[in-house]
Amino acid sequence: MDNQVAENVLGTLGAVCWSIQLLPQIIINYRRHDTEGLQGSMMLLWAVAGVPLGVYNIVEEFNIALRIQPQILTTLSLLTWAQCLYYGKKYQIMKCCVAVTSLLLLLGGIEAGLIFALQAAKRRGLEWPLILMAVLSACLLAAGVLRHYWDIYVHRTVRGISFIFVGIDAAGDLFSLISVLFGPTINVLGIIIYGTELILWVGIFICGGVFNLWPWIKKRSEQRDGNLQDPVSLHPMPSSTSVFRTASGSQVMERRPWQSS
């Protein structure tokens, strides 16, 4: 019973994290009216990944939170993808709405059909269809994050992505992973799905520390050191940083009217 309570609580925490994970990113995109650096292909891959992940979690009868989780992932991913179309590719808002609605209906229909088909396959003792769903969802989720790794490699910085979003998503993966571990049986494929993405997000954090945080710290340190060296006492002779610098770079004496030429 204790394990079941822990499984449900952790699964709910994971679902909550995945429910709000993309909201910081969506808000940032809206405020700056730009999605430069944010990979639209990542959002589309995640939206598609929600289908096999939802099928797997439902057919495997995970807790309710983990069954709802992929549906939220698909919806928020498509909304973020629509922002990439609107701000990045300058699509009309009506065109974006039609694209998102069409994909939601299409992906929802595919997921519903697969759920019925794989439930029937499971009753007949077939395991490979569920394994395929787990592998497919893990690959799509990983491919979405790996798309950002390529952008980091090209630009040598982590750009366009909210680290708040990354942190919440990683927390959702962690809670979901532990929830799977507290299940009646150890589900290896579930561990692979959530564990793979968690590791990739940790890598994004490390890249952010190397390419974003460390250069910022160095710059602030150099600026602080430069400010400490600015006092006039450190520049006895006129210089470009001295407040006593004249137009010619040397001292100029004003000629008195009574002085002879």
Side-chain angles (χ1 to χ4, degrees):
M1 178 60 72
D2 290 339
N3 281 354
Q4 186 177 0
V5 171
E7 178 191 3
N8 290 328
V9 170
L10 291 166
T12 301
L13 288 174
V16 169
C17 288
W18 273 32
S19 299
I20 64 173
Q21 60 173 342
L22 278 169
L23 293 181
Q25 187 69 54
I26 291 171
I27 293 171
I28 286 176
N29 295 341
Y30 173 75
R31 285 179 175 175
R32 68 184 183 183
H33 299 290
D34 187 24
T35 55
E36 183 180 2
L38 179 64
Q39 306 304 313
S41 56
M42 169 186 170
M43 296 295 102
L44 198 54
L45 286 167
W46 273 19
V48 176
V51 173
L53 181 59
V55 172
Y56 183 79
N57 287 3
I58 291 172
V59 176
E60 281 291 81
E61 299 180 351
F62 283 179
N63 58 73
I64 297 298
L66 291 183
R67 298 186 198 186
I68 297 173
Q69 188 186 72
Q71 325 313 323
I72 297 171
L73 171 66
T74 294
T75 302
L76 291 181
S77 295
L78 285 178
L79 287 176
T80 313
W81 174 66
Q83 286 186 314
C84 293
L85 296 180
Y86 182 71
Y87 294 123
K89 297 184 179 297
K90 309 302 179 184
Y91 280 24
Q92 296 293 324
I93 190 167
M94 183 57 66
K95 190 175 182 180
C96 295
C97 291
V98 170
V100 169
T101 303
S102 301
L103 274 176
L104 272 175
L105 293 174
L106 176 62
L107 294 176
I110 292 173
E111 182 176 345
L114 286 172
I115 288 171
F116 288 114
L118 268 68
Q119 283 176 336
K122 185 179 180 180
R123 286 193 295 267
R124 291 198 300 268
L126 294 176
E127 295 184 0
W128 69 263
L130 274 178
I131 295 175
L132 177 62
M133 291 296 103
V135 171
L136 185 59
S137 60
C139 290
L140 289 170
L141 289 170
V145 183
L146 285 171
R147 182 64 185 84
H148 260 291
Y149 275 88
W150 175 252
D151 189 76
I152 293 169
Y153 173 76
V154 172
H155 298 281
R156 291 297 189 272
T157 186
V158 181
R159 64 193 191 114
I161 191 169
S162 166
F163 281 99
I164 298 176
F165 150 58
V166 174
I168 295 174
D169 196 344
D173 288 324
L174 180 60
F175 287 132
S176 300
L177 175 62
I178 300 175
S179 174
V180 172
L181 292 175
F182 274 101
T185 59
I186 299 299
N187 192 302
V188 177
L189 292 175
I191 293 172
I192 292 173
I193 291 172
Y194 294 111
T196 300
E197 194 185 38
L198 176 61
I199 291 171
L200 290 175
W201 280 137
V202 171
I204 293 289
F205 268 117
I206 293 173
C207 291
V210 172
F211 294 114
N212 295 60
L213 181 60
W214 179 242
W216 178 82
I217 293 174
K218 287 179 63 178
K219 184 177 179 180
R220 290 298 297 270
S221 178
E222 290 170 359
Q223 289 176 344
R224 185 172 62 252
D225 292 343
N227 290 335
L228 292 176
Q229 295 176 1
D230 275 347
V232 177
S233 60
L234 297 180
H235 300 278
M237 297 298 292
S239 69
S240 61
T241 58
S242 173
V243 295
F244 297 108
R245 182 175 181 269
T246 63
S248 63
S250 61
Q251 293 180 349
V252 178
M253 295 181 61
E254 182 181 359
R255 184 179 296 278
R256 305 288 184 181
W258 59 82
Q259 285 182 316
S260 59
S261 56

